[in-house]
Amino acid sequence: MPLLPLARMSAILTCPRCKAILVASESRLRCASFDCDYSSPEGFPQVDQWPVLVDFTTSVLDLDAMIATRAQSVLPRGRRRRLIERFKDALFAPNSVAGDNFERVKCELPQGDRSRVLIVGGGRVGNGAEVLYDDEMIDLIAFDIYGSPSVQFIADGHQIPLADGSVDAVVIQAVLEHVLDPARVVAEIHRVLSPDGIVYAETPFLQQVHEGPYDFSRYTESGHRYLFRKFSLLDSGIIGGPGTQLLWTIDHVARGVFRSRVAGAVAKAFFFWVRGLDRLCAYPYAVDCASGCYFLGRRSEREMTPREIIRHYKGAQRSRSPA
Ligand SMILES: C[S@@+](CC[C@H](N)C(=O)[O-])C[C@H]1O[C@@H](n2cnc3c(N)ncnc32)[C@H](O)[C@@H]1O
Ligand SMILES: [Zn+2]
Protein backbone atom coordinates (compact mmCIF):
# COMPACT_ATOMS: atom_id res chain seq x y z
CA MET A 1 0.00 0.00 0.00
CA PRO A 2 1.88 3.15 -1.17
CA LEU A 3 1.18 5.46 1.79
CA LEU A 4 3.46 8.34 2.77
CA PRO A 5 5.74 7.02 5.56
CA LEU A 6 4.96 8.56 8.97
CA ALA A 7 8.50 9.91 9.27
CA ARG A 8 7.91 12.06 6.16
CA MET A 9 4.80 13.71 7.56
CA SER A 10 6.15 14.66 10.99
CA ALA A 11 6.19 18.38 10.05
CA ILE A 12 2.41 18.44 9.53
CA LEU A 13 1.23 16.18 12.37
CA THR A 14 -0.50 18.17 15.13
CA CYS A 15 -2.17 17.60 18.46
CA PRO A 16 -5.86 16.74 17.96
CA ARG A 17 -6.77 18.81 21.04
CA CYS A 18 -4.73 22.03 20.81
CA LYS A 19 -3.29 21.85 17.23
CA ALA A 20 0.28 22.41 18.46
CA ILE A 21 2.96 20.46 16.58
CA LEU A 22 3.91 16.98 17.77
CA VAL A 23 7.35 15.91 18.88
CA ALA A 24 8.73 12.38 19.05
CA SER A 25 9.89 11.24 22.49
CA GLU A 26 11.12 7.68 22.90
CA SER A 27 8.77 5.63 20.74
CA ARG A 28 5.79 7.98 21.16
CA LEU A 29 4.47 11.24 19.80
CA ARG A 30 3.55 13.96 22.25
CA CYS A 31 2.20 17.50 22.06
CA ALA A 32 4.83 20.28 21.98
CA SER A 33 2.66 22.70 23.99
CA PHE A 34 3.41 22.47 27.73
CA ASP A 35 -0.12 23.74 28.50
CA CYS A 36 -1.62 20.61 26.93
CA ASP A 37 -2.28 17.33 28.79
CA TYR A 38 -0.82 15.44 25.82
CA SER A 39 2.62 17.03 26.39
CA SER A 40 3.35 14.55 29.21
CA PRO A 41 6.04 11.93 28.43
CA GLU A 42 3.31 9.31 27.78
CA GLY A 43 1.92 11.58 25.05
CA PHE A 44 -0.28 9.72 22.62
CA PRO A 45 -0.60 5.95 22.88
CA GLN A 46 0.97 3.68 20.30
CA VAL A 47 -1.04 0.52 19.61
CA ASP A 48 0.88 -1.98 17.48
CA GLN A 49 2.31 0.09 14.59
CA TRP A 50 -0.28 2.88 14.84
CA PRO A 51 0.09 6.14 16.78
CA VAL A 52 -3.35 6.90 18.25
CA LEU A 53 -3.75 10.67 17.75
CA VAL A 54 -7.12 10.92 19.47
CA ASP A 55 -8.34 13.22 22.23
CA PHE A 56 -10.23 10.56 24.17
CA THR A 57 -11.97 13.13 26.38
CA THR A 58 -14.14 14.27 23.45
CA SER A 59 -14.29 11.23 21.13
CA VAL A 60 -16.69 8.27 20.91
CA LEU A 61 -13.53 6.15 20.98
CA ASP A 62 -12.45 4.38 24.13
CA LEU A 63 -8.75 3.98 24.91
CA ASP A 64 -9.14 0.81 27.02
CA ALA A 65 -11.17 -0.87 24.28
CA MET A 66 -8.61 0.20 21.69
CA ILE A 67 -5.76 -1.33 23.66
CA ALA A 68 -7.78 -4.50 24.40
CA THR A 69 -8.61 -5.01 20.69
CA ARG A 70 -5.09 -3.96 19.57
CA ALA A 71 -6.75 -1.15 17.63
CA GLN A 72 -8.81 -3.48 15.49
CA SER A 73 -12.27 -2.47 14.33
CA VAL A 74 -15.05 -3.16 16.81
CA LEU A 75 -17.21 -4.07 13.81
CA PRO A 76 -16.55 -7.28 11.85
CA ARG A 77 -14.25 -6.48 8.93
CA GLY A 78 -12.34 -9.77 8.64
CA ARG A 79 -10.85 -11.27 5.50
CA ARG A 80 -13.89 -13.46 4.84
CA ARG A 81 -16.14 -10.41 4.92
CA ARG A 82 -13.90 -8.59 2.45
CA LEU A 83 -14.15 -11.52 0.04
CA ILE A 84 -17.94 -11.54 0.37
CA GLU A 85 -17.96 -7.80 -0.26
CA ARG A 86 -15.85 -8.21 -3.40
CA PHE A 87 -18.27 -10.84 -4.67
CA LYS A 88 -21.22 -8.58 -3.88
CA ASP A 89 -19.52 -5.65 -5.62
CA ALA A 90 -18.96 -7.78 -8.73
CA LEU A 91 -22.62 -8.85 -8.72
CA PHE A 92 -24.26 -5.55 -7.83
CA ALA A 93 -21.67 -2.97 -9.04
CA PRO A 94 -22.64 -0.60 -6.23
CA ASN A 95 -20.94 2.58 -7.37
CA SER A 96 -20.08 3.14 -11.01
CA VAL A 97 -19.80 6.93 -10.54
CA ALA A 98 -16.87 6.91 -8.09
CA GLY A 99 -14.19 5.81 -10.58
CA ASP A 100 -14.90 8.77 -12.91
CA ASN A 101 -15.08 11.16 -9.96
CA PHE A 102 -11.69 10.07 -8.63
CA GLU A 103 -10.18 10.72 -12.09
CA ARG A 104 -11.65 14.23 -11.81
CA VAL A 105 -10.16 14.66 -8.36
CA LYS A 106 -6.75 13.84 -9.88
CA CYS A 107 -7.28 16.37 -12.71
CA GLU A 108 -8.07 19.11 -10.18
CA LEU A 109 -4.84 18.54 -8.20
CA PRO A 110 -1.93 20.97 -8.76
CA GLN A 111 -0.21 19.71 -11.93
CA GLY A 112 3.51 19.03 -12.32
CA ASP A 113 4.25 18.66 -8.62
CA ARG A 114 3.62 15.97 -6.04
CA SER A 115 0.25 16.31 -4.27
CA ARG A 116 -0.80 15.39 -0.77
CA VAL A 117 -4.18 13.65 -0.55
CA LEU A 118 -5.82 12.83 2.77
CA ILE A 119 -8.30 9.97 3.05
CA VAL A 120 -10.60 10.27 6.07
CA GLY A 121 -12.00 6.89 7.11
CA GLY A 122 -9.52 5.02 4.93
CA GLY A 123 -9.44 1.78 6.95
CA ARG A 124 -10.66 0.12 3.78
CA VAL A 125 -9.92 1.33 0.24
CA GLY A 126 -13.23 2.70 -1.04
CA ASN A 127 -14.92 1.93 -4.36
CA GLY A 128 -12.93 3.40 -7.25
CA ALA A 129 -10.31 4.96 -4.93
CA GLU A 130 -7.55 2.61 -6.19
CA VAL A 131 -6.61 5.21 -8.84
CA LEU A 132 -5.37 7.48 -6.05
CA TYR A 133 -3.38 4.70 -4.39
CA ASP A 134 -1.80 3.75 -7.74
CA ASP A 135 -0.68 7.29 -8.65
CA GLU A 136 3.05 7.81 -7.98
CA MET A 137 2.66 11.60 -7.94
CA ILE A 138 0.32 11.42 -4.93
CA ASP A 139 1.53 11.27 -1.32
CA LEU A 140 -1.36 9.54 0.39
CA ILE A 141 -2.18 10.11 4.04
CA ALA A 142 -4.98 8.02 5.51
CA PHE A 143 -6.45 7.53 8.93
CA ASP A 144 -9.42 5.78 10.47
CA ILE A 145 -10.70 5.09 13.96
CA TYR A 146 -9.12 1.63 13.82
CA GLY A 147 -5.79 0.29 12.61
CA SER A 148 -5.44 -1.34 9.19
CA PRO A 149 -2.71 -1.73 6.54
CA SER A 150 -4.25 1.19 4.63
CA VAL A 151 -3.78 3.85 7.35
CA GLN A 152 -0.66 5.44 8.93
CA PHE A 153 -2.32 6.53 12.18
CA ILE A 154 -5.57 6.36 14.11
CA ALA A 155 -7.56 9.58 14.55
CA ASP A 156 -11.09 10.92 14.76
CA GLY A 157 -12.38 13.08 11.87
CA HIS A 158 -13.81 15.57 14.40
CA GLN A 159 -10.23 16.54 15.36
CA ILE A 160 -7.93 15.88 12.41
CA PRO A 161 -4.33 15.84 13.71
CA LEU A 162 -2.89 17.75 10.74
CA ALA A 163 -1.74 21.35 10.36
CA ASP A 164 -3.85 24.06 8.71
CA GLY A 165 -3.54 24.09 4.90
CA SER A 166 -1.37 20.96 4.86
CA VAL A 167 -3.06 18.86 2.14
CA ASP A 168 -4.13 19.44 -1.49
CA ALA A 169 -7.22 17.23 -1.40
CA VAL A 170 -9.40 15.36 1.06
CA VAL A 171 -11.48 12.29 0.22
CA ILE A 172 -14.27 11.25 2.59
CA GLN A 173 -16.19 8.34 1.13
CA ALA A 174 -19.08 6.73 3.02
CA VAL A 175 -17.92 8.23 6.34
CA LEU A 176 -19.95 11.38 7.12
CA GLU A 177 -23.01 9.28 8.03
CA HIS A 178 -20.90 7.62 10.73
CA VAL A 179 -19.65 10.72 12.53
CA LEU A 180 -21.64 12.40 15.31
CA ASP A 181 -21.13 15.94 14.01
CA PRO A 182 -20.69 16.01 10.20
CA ALA A 183 -20.50 19.85 10.10
CA ARG A 184 -17.55 19.78 12.47
CA VAL A 185 -15.77 17.16 10.35
CA VAL A 186 -16.36 19.29 7.23
CA ALA A 187 -14.96 22.33 9.11
CA GLU A 188 -11.86 20.27 9.91
CA ILE A 189 -11.54 19.29 6.24
CA HIS A 190 -11.77 22.99 5.32
CA ARG A 191 -9.05 23.81 7.86
CA VAL A 192 -6.50 21.21 6.71
CA LEU A 193 -6.96 21.98 3.00
CA SER A 194 -4.63 24.35 1.12
CA PRO A 195 -6.37 27.55 -0.08
CA ASP A 196 -7.43 26.01 -3.42
CA GLY A 197 -7.75 22.50 -2.03
CA ILE A 198 -10.24 19.94 -3.32
CA VAL A 199 -12.76 17.88 -1.40
CA TYR A 200 -14.55 14.79 -2.64
CA ALA A 201 -17.34 13.33 -0.48
CA GLU A 202 -19.83 10.51 -0.90
CA THR A 203 -22.61 10.09 1.64
CA PRO A 204 -25.82 8.02 1.73
CA PHE A 205 -29.29 9.47 1.24
CA LEU A 206 -31.76 6.54 1.29
CA GLN A 207 -29.85 3.68 2.85
CA GLN A 208 -30.71 1.61 5.89
CA VAL A 209 -28.55 1.68 9.02
CA HIS A 210 -25.17 0.04 8.54
CA GLU A 211 -22.21 -0.09 10.97
CA GLY A 212 -24.79 -0.52 13.82
CA PRO A 213 -24.39 2.02 16.64
CA TYR A 214 -21.98 4.09 14.51
CA ASP A 215 -24.57 5.41 12.01
CA PHE A 216 -26.14 8.83 12.57
CA SER A 217 -27.14 10.89 9.48
CA ARG A 218 -28.39 10.95 5.88
CA TYR A 219 -28.35 13.74 3.28
CA THR A 220 -30.43 14.74 0.27
CA GLU A 221 -28.36 15.95 -2.67
CA SER A 222 -29.15 19.56 -1.68
CA GLY A 223 -28.48 18.98 2.02
CA HIS A 224 -25.13 17.42 1.17
CA ARG A 225 -24.17 20.36 -1.04
CA TYR A 226 -25.14 22.79 1.77
CA LEU A 227 -23.02 20.86 4.26
CA PHE A 228 -20.09 21.91 2.03
CA ARG A 229 -21.27 25.52 1.74
CA LYS A 230 -17.77 26.90 2.25
CA PHE A 231 -16.65 25.15 -0.94
CA SER A 232 -17.30 26.19 -4.54
CA LEU A 233 -19.04 23.57 -6.64
CA LEU A 234 -17.12 21.57 -9.23
CA ASP A 235 -19.70 18.83 -9.48
CA SER A 236 -22.35 17.11 -7.40
CA GLY A 237 -24.89 14.41 -8.02
CA ILE A 238 -26.17 11.02 -6.99
CA ILE A 239 -24.76 7.55 -6.57
CA GLY A 240 -27.28 4.79 -7.14
CA GLY A 241 -30.85 5.66 -8.03
CA PRO A 242 -34.28 4.38 -6.95
CA GLY A 243 -33.50 0.79 -7.99
CA THR A 244 -30.41 0.66 -5.80
CA GLN A 245 -32.22 2.04 -2.78
CA LEU A 246 -35.15 -0.36 -3.41
CA LEU A 247 -32.71 -3.28 -3.35
CA TRP A 248 -31.36 -2.08 0.03
CA THR A 249 -34.96 -1.93 1.27
CA ILE A 250 -35.73 -5.46 0.03
CA ASP A 251 -32.63 -6.72 1.83
CA HIS A 252 -33.64 -5.07 5.13
CA VAL A 253 -37.33 -6.02 4.92
CA ALA A 254 -36.29 -9.67 4.40
CA ARG A 255 -33.84 -9.42 7.35
CA GLY A 256 -36.65 -8.09 9.53
CA VAL A 257 -39.32 -10.60 8.46
CA PHE A 258 -37.03 -13.64 8.78
CA ARG A 259 -34.86 -12.19 11.60
CA SER A 260 -31.75 -13.06 9.65
CA ARG A 261 -29.05 -11.26 7.65
CA VAL A 262 -28.74 -14.34 5.45
CA ALA A 263 -32.40 -13.99 4.46
CA GLY A 264 -31.62 -10.42 3.42
CA ALA A 265 -28.69 -11.57 1.30
CA VAL A 266 -30.84 -14.26 -0.34
CA ALA A 267 -33.63 -11.76 -1.10
CA LYS A 268 -31.07 -9.35 -2.52
CA ALA A 269 -29.60 -12.03 -4.79
CA PHE A 270 -33.10 -12.99 -5.94
CA PHE A 271 -34.07 -9.39 -6.70
CA PHE A 272 -30.64 -8.23 -8.03
CA TRP A 273 -32.33 -7.10 -11.28
CA VAL A 274 -34.21 -4.35 -9.37
CA ARG A 275 -31.03 -2.25 -9.57
CA GLY A 276 -31.58 -2.04 -13.33
CA LEU A 277 -34.52 0.31 -12.59
CA ASP A 278 -31.89 3.01 -11.98
CA ARG A 279 -31.42 3.20 -15.76
CA LEU A 280 -35.15 3.66 -16.41
CA CYS A 281 -35.65 6.59 -14.04
CA ALA A 282 -35.23 10.15 -15.32
CA TYR A 283 -32.38 11.92 -13.49
CA PRO A 284 -34.47 14.53 -11.58
CA TYR A 285 -36.72 11.75 -10.21
CA ALA A 286 -33.65 9.73 -9.27
CA VAL A 287 -32.26 12.74 -7.35
CA ASP A 288 -35.37 12.67 -5.13
CA CYS A 289 -35.00 8.95 -4.49
CA ALA A 290 -31.27 8.22 -4.66
CA SER A 291 -29.25 5.79 -2.61
CA GLY A 292 -26.43 8.28 -2.04
CA CYS A 293 -24.92 11.54 -3.21
CA TYR A 294 -21.49 12.99 -3.97
CA PHE A 295 -19.93 16.42 -3.83
CA LEU A 296 -16.74 17.58 -5.54
CA GLY A 297 -15.70 21.09 -4.59
CA ARG A 298 -12.90 23.59 -4.11
CA ARG A 299 -12.14 25.22 -0.75
CA SER A 300 -13.43 28.77 -0.61
CA GLU A 301 -13.67 31.60 1.94
CA ARG A 302 -17.09 32.55 0.58
CA GLU A 303 -20.09 30.74 2.04
CA MET A 304 -23.02 29.68 -0.15
CA THR A 305 -26.19 31.59 0.79
CA PRO A 306 -29.51 29.98 1.81
CA ARG A 307 -31.18 31.26 -1.41
CA GLU A 308 -28.42 29.74 -3.52
CA ILE A 309 -29.08 26.30 -2.07
CA ILE A 310 -32.77 26.60 -3.04
CA ARG A 311 -31.69 27.33 -6.64
CA HIS A 312 -29.26 24.38 -6.49
CA TYR A 313 -32.06 21.77 -6.20
CA LYS A 314 -31.82 19.25 -9.07
CA GLY A 315 -34.88 17.10 -8.37
CA ALA A 316 -38.28 16.75 -10.04
CA GLN A 317 -40.39 18.71 -7.53
CA ARG A 318 -39.99 22.21 -8.89
CA SER A 319 -41.48 25.05 -6.88
CA ARG A 320 -43.34 27.87 -8.68
CA SER A 321 -40.74 30.42 -9.78
CA PRO A 322 -41.45 33.99 -8.70
CA ALA A 323 -42.99 36.27 -11.36
C1 LIG B 1 -18.78 2.46 5.54
S1 LIG B 1 -17.07 2.56 6.02
C2 LIG B 1 -16.34 3.28 4.57
C3 LIG B 1 -14.90 2.91 4.45
C4 LIG B 1 -14.23 3.40 3.14
N1 LIG B 1 -14.08 4.85 3.15
C5 LIG B 1 -15.03 2.95 1.95
O1 LIG B 1 -15.52 3.81 1.18
O2 LIG B 1 -15.15 1.72 1.74
C6 LIG B 1 -17.07 3.93 7.17
C7 LIG B 1 -15.69 4.22 7.73
O3 LIG B 1 -15.75 5.42 8.51
C8 LIG B 1 -14.90 5.23 9.62
N2 LIG B 1 -15.23 6.20 10.66
C9 LIG B 1 -16.31 6.19 11.49
N3 LIG B 1 -16.26 7.23 12.36
C10 LIG B 1 -15.13 7.92 12.05
C11 LIG B 1 -14.51 9.08 12.59
N4 LIG B 1 -15.05 9.74 13.63
N5 LIG B 1 -13.36 9.52 12.03
C12 LIG B 1 -12.80 8.86 11.00
N6 LIG B 1 -13.33 7.73 10.44
C13 LIG B 1 -14.47 7.27 10.97
C14 LIG B 1 -15.20 3.79 10.00
O4 LIG B 1 -14.27 3.25 10.89
C15 LIG B 1 -15.20 3.12 8.65
O5 LIG B 1 -13.92 2.72 8.24
ZN1 LIG C 1 -1.92 19.56 22.58
mmCIF file of all heavy atoms in Angstrom, residues 228-248:
data_model
loop_
_atom_site.group_PDB
_atom_site.id
_atom_site.type_symbol
_atom_site.label_atom_id
_atom_site.label_comp_id
_atom_site.label_asym_id
_atom_site.label_seq_id
_atom_site.Cartn_x
_atom_site.Cartn_y
_atom_site.Cartn_z
ATOM 1 N N PHE A 228 -21.369 21.418 2.552
ATOM 2 C CA PHE A 228 -20.087 21.910 2.027
ATOM 3 C C PHE A 228 -20.240 23.346 1.510
ATOM 4 O O PHE A 228 -19.717 23.692 0.464
ATOM 5 C CB PHE A 228 -19.583 20.974 0.920
ATOM 6 C CG PHE A 228 -19.141 19.635 1.441
ATOM 7 C CD1 PHE A 228 -20.030 18.571 1.515
ATOM 8 C CD2 PHE A 228 -17.844 19.448 1.902
ATOM 9 C CE1 PHE A 228 -19.630 17.349 2.024
ATOM 10 C CE2 PHE A 228 -17.439 18.232 2.405
ATOM 11 C CZ PHE A 228 -18.332 17.171 2.471
ATOM 12 N N ARG A 229 -20.964 24.186 2.259
ATOM 13 C CA ARG A 229 -21.275 25.524 1.737
ATOM 14 C C ARG A 229 -20.065 26.438 1.659
ATOM 15 O O ARG A 229 -20.087 27.415 0.947
ATOM 16 C CB ARG A 229 -22.402 26.177 2.538
ATOM 17 C CG ARG A 229 -22.202 26.274 4.032
ATOM 18 C CD ARG A 229 -23.527 26.714 4.648
ATOM 19 N NE ARG A 229 -23.560 26.614 6.094
ATOM 20 C CZ ARG A 229 -23.814 25.491 6.771
ATOM 21 N NH1 ARG A 229 -24.013 24.352 6.122
ATOM 22 N NH2 ARG A 229 -23.870 25.486 8.084
ATOM 23 N N LYS A 230 -18.981 26.086 2.373
ATOM 24 C CA LYS A 230 -17.765 26.900 2.254
ATOM 25 C C LYS A 230 -16.816 26.327 1.197
ATOM 26 O O LYS A 230 -15.588 26.456 1.297
ATOM 27 C CB LYS A 230 -17.070 27.038 3.609
ATOM 28 C CG LYS A 230 -17.733 28.100 4.478
ATOM 29 C CD LYS A 230 -16.910 28.466 5.684
ATOM 30 C CE LYS A 230 -15.842 29.488 5.361
ATOM 31 N NZ LYS A 230 -15.126 29.947 6.577
ATOM 32 N N PHE A 231 -17.412 25.685 0.186
ATOM 33 C CA PHE A 231 -16.646 25.151 -0.939
ATOM 34 C C PHE A 231 -17.379 25.549 -2.221
ATOM 35 O O PHE A 231 -18.623 25.529 -2.255
ATOM 36 C CB PHE A 231 -16.585 23.620 -0.888
ATOM 37 C CG PHE A 231 -15.753 23.098 0.259
ATOM 38 C CD1 PHE A 231 -16.283 23.024 1.549
ATOM 39 C CD2 PHE A 231 -14.439 22.689 0.057
ATOM 40 C CE1 PHE A 231 -15.530 22.554 2.609
ATOM 41 C CE2 PHE A 231 -13.680 22.212 1.119
ATOM 42 C CZ PHE A 231 -14.219 22.146 2.392
ATOM 43 N N SER A 232 -16.629 25.927 -3.262
ATOM 44 C CA SER A 232 -17.299 26.190 -4.542
ATOM 45 C C SER A 232 -17.535 24.855 -5.245
ATOM 46 O O SER A 232 -16.761 23.901 -5.090
ATOM 47 C CB SER A 232 -16.488 27.150 -5.397
ATOM 48 O OG SER A 232 -15.229 26.584 -5.664
ATOM 49 N N LEU A 233 -18.606 24.829 -6.017
ATOM 50 C CA LEU A 233 -19.042 23.572 -6.639
ATOM 51 C C LEU A 233 -18.248 23.267 -7.906
ATOM 52 O O LEU A 233 -18.166 24.088 -8.813
ATOM 53 C CB LEU A 233 -20.531 23.705 -7.001
ATOM 54 C CG LEU A 233 -21.153 22.537 -7.758
ATOM 55 C CD1 LEU A 233 -21.451 21.379 -6.828
ATOM 56 C CD2 LEU A 233 -22.437 22.962 -8.462
ATOM 57 N N LEU A 234 -17.660 22.064 -7.968
ATOM 58 C CA LEU A 234 -17.118 21.568 -9.234
ATOM 59 C C LEU A 234 -18.111 20.597 -9.837
ATOM 60 O O LEU A 234 -18.381 20.623 -11.019
ATOM 61 C CB LEU A 234 -15.762 20.901 -9.021
ATOM 62 C CG LEU A 234 -14.638 21.841 -8.536
ATOM 63 C CD1 LEU A 234 -13.396 21.051 -8.169
ATOM 64 C CD2 LEU A 234 -14.315 22.869 -9.615
ATOM 65 N N ASP A 235 -18.683 19.770 -8.991
ATOM 66 C CA ASP A 235 -19.701 18.827 -9.475
ATOM 67 C C ASP A 235 -20.409 18.236 -8.256
ATOM 68 O O ASP A 235 -19.846 18.156 -7.169
ATOM 69 C CB ASP A 235 -19.029 17.703 -10.275
ATOM 70 C CG ASP A 235 -20.035 16.880 -11.076
ATOM 71 O OD1 ASP A 235 -21.205 17.304 -11.175
ATOM 72 O OD2 ASP A 235 -19.643 15.822 -11.588
ATOM 73 N N SER A 236 -21.648 17.857 -8.459
ATOM 74 C CA SER A 236 -22.350 17.113 -7.404
ATOM 75 C C SER A 236 -23.419 16.281 -8.086
ATOM 76 O O SER A 236 -23.803 16.555 -9.225
ATOM 77 C CB SER A 236 -22.975 18.062 -6.377
ATOM 78 O OG SER A 236 -24.075 18.749 -6.940
ATOM 79 N N GLY A 237 -23.883 15.275 -7.402
ATOM 80 C CA GLY A 237 -24.890 14.409 -8.019
ATOM 81 C C GLY A 237 -25.191 13.221 -7.136
ATOM 82 O O GLY A 237 -24.938 13.257 -5.935
ATOM 83 N N ILE A 238 -25.715 12.177 -7.774
ATOM 84 C CA ILE A 238 -26.167 11.021 -6.987
ATOM 85 C C ILE A 238 -25.373 9.768 -7.330
ATOM 86 O O ILE A 238 -24.777 9.664 -8.396
ATOM 87 C CB ILE A 238 -27.676 10.762 -7.195
ATOM 88 C CG1 ILE A 238 -27.974 10.462 -8.667
ATOM 89 C CG2 ILE A 238 -28.495 11.934 -6.688
ATOM 90 C CD1 ILE A 238 -29.338 9.860 -8.886
ATOM 91 N N ILE A 239 -25.403 8.852 -6.391
ATOM 92 C CA ILE A 239 -24.761 7.552 -6.568
ATOM 93 C C ILE A 239 -25.815 6.495 -6.292
ATOM 94 O O ILE A 239 -26.289 6.381 -5.168
ATOM 95 C CB ILE A 239 -23.579 7.398 -5.604
ATOM 96 C CG1 ILE A 239 -22.523 8.424 -5.978
ATOM 97 C CG2 ILE A 239 -23.020 5.992 -5.652
ATOM 98 C CD1 ILE A 239 -21.406 8.517 -5.007
ATOM 99 N N GLY A 240 -26.232 5.790 -7.320
ATOM 100 C CA GLY A 240 -27.281 4.791 -7.135
ATOM 101 C C GLY A 240 -28.641 5.461 -7.079
ATOM 102 O O GLY A 240 -28.864 6.358 -6.266
ATOM 103 N N GLY A 241 -29.525 5.050 -7.948
ATOM 104 C CA GLY A 241 -30.853 5.661 -8.030
ATOM 105 C C GLY A 241 -31.903 4.876 -7.259
ATOM 106 O O GLY A 241 -31.573 4.102 -6.342
ATOM 107 N N PRO A 242 -33.178 5.028 -7.657
ATOM 108 C CA PRO A 242 -34.282 4.379 -6.950
ATOM 109 C C PRO A 242 -34.167 2.859 -6.903
ATOM 110 O O PRO A 242 -34.543 2.240 -5.903
ATOM 111 C CB PRO A 242 -35.506 4.804 -7.769
ATOM 112 C CG PRO A 242 -35.088 6.081 -8.424
ATOM 113 C CD PRO A 242 -33.634 5.945 -8.710
ATOM 114 N N GLY A 243 -33.632 2.251 -7.976
ATOM 115 C CA GLY A 243 -33.496 0.785 -7.993
ATOM 116 C C GLY A 243 -32.525 0.316 -6.921
ATOM 117 O O GLY A 243 -32.782 -0.663 -6.205
ATOM 118 N N THR A 244 -31.415 1.040 -6.793
ATOM 119 C CA THR A 244 -30.405 0.658 -5.796
ATOM 120 C C THR A 244 -30.983 0.766 -4.394
ATOM 121 O O THR A 244 -30.805 -0.127 -3.560
ATOM 122 C CB THR A 244 -29.165 1.573 -5.924
ATOM 123 O OG1 THR A 244 -28.672 1.471 -7.255
ATOM 124 C CG2 THR A 244 -28.087 1.187 -4.938
ATOM 125 N N GLN A 245 -31.684 1.879 -4.151
ATOM 126 C CA GLN A 245 -32.216 2.035 -2.782
ATOM 127 C C GLN A 245 -33.333 1.030 -2.513
ATOM 128 O O GLN A 245 -33.488 0.546 -1.402
ATOM 129 C CB GLN A 245 -32.595 3.492 -2.482
ATOM 130 C CG GLN A 245 -33.807 4.044 -3.138
ATOM 131 C CD GLN A 245 -35.056 3.806 -2.317
ATOM 132 O OE1 GLN A 245 -34.989 3.305 -1.205
ATOM 133 N NE2 GLN A 245 -36.193 4.117 -2.891
ATOM 134 N N LEU A 246 -34.095 0.654 -3.589
ATOM 135 C CA LEU A 246 -35.147 -0.363 -3.408
ATOM 136 C C LEU A 246 -34.523 -1.718 -3.042
ATOM 137 O O LEU A 246 -35.034 -2.441 -2.185
ATOM 138 C CB LEU A 246 -35.982 -0.470 -4.691
ATOM 139 C CG LEU A 246 -37.127 -1.478 -4.695
ATOM 140 C CD1 LEU A 246 -38.094 -1.231 -3.536
ATOM 141 C CD2 LEU A 246 -37.888 -1.423 -6.025
ATOM 142 N N LEU A 247 -33.384 -2.014 -3.654
ATOM 143 C CA LEU A 247 -32.709 -3.280 -3.350
ATOM 144 C C LEU A 247 -32.248 -3.318 -1.882
ATOM 145 O O LEU A 247 -32.362 -4.342 -1.208
ATOM 146 C CB LEU A 247 -31.515 -3.462 -4.306
ATOM 147 C CG LEU A 247 -30.901 -4.854 -4.358
ATOM 148 C CD1 LEU A 247 -31.926 -5.923 -4.689
ATOM 149 C CD2 LEU A 247 -29.749 -4.888 -5.362
ATOM 150 N N TRP A 248 -31.727 -2.169 -1.396
ATOM 151 C CA TRP A 248 -31.362 -2.081 0.030
ATOM 152 C C TRP A 248 -32.593 -2.348 0.891
ATOM 153 O O TRP A 248 -32.532 -3.048 1.901
ATOM 154 C CB TRP A 248 -30.854 -0.668 0.356
ATOM 155 C CG TRP A 248 -29.399 -0.440 0.138
ATOM 156 C CD1 TRP A 248 -28.758 -0.341 -1.062
ATOM 157 C CD2 TRP A 248 -28.398 -0.241 1.143
ATOM 158 N NE1 TRP A 248 -27.426 -0.083 -0.854
ATOM 159 C CE2 TRP A 248 -27.173 -0.009 0.485
ATOM 160 C CE3 TRP A 248 -28.426 -0.215 2.540
ATOM 161 C CZ2 TRP A 248 -25.986 0.225 1.168
ATOM 162 C CZ3 TRP A 248 -27.240 0.024 3.225
ATOM 163 C CH2 TRP A 248 -26.036 0.232 2.537
#
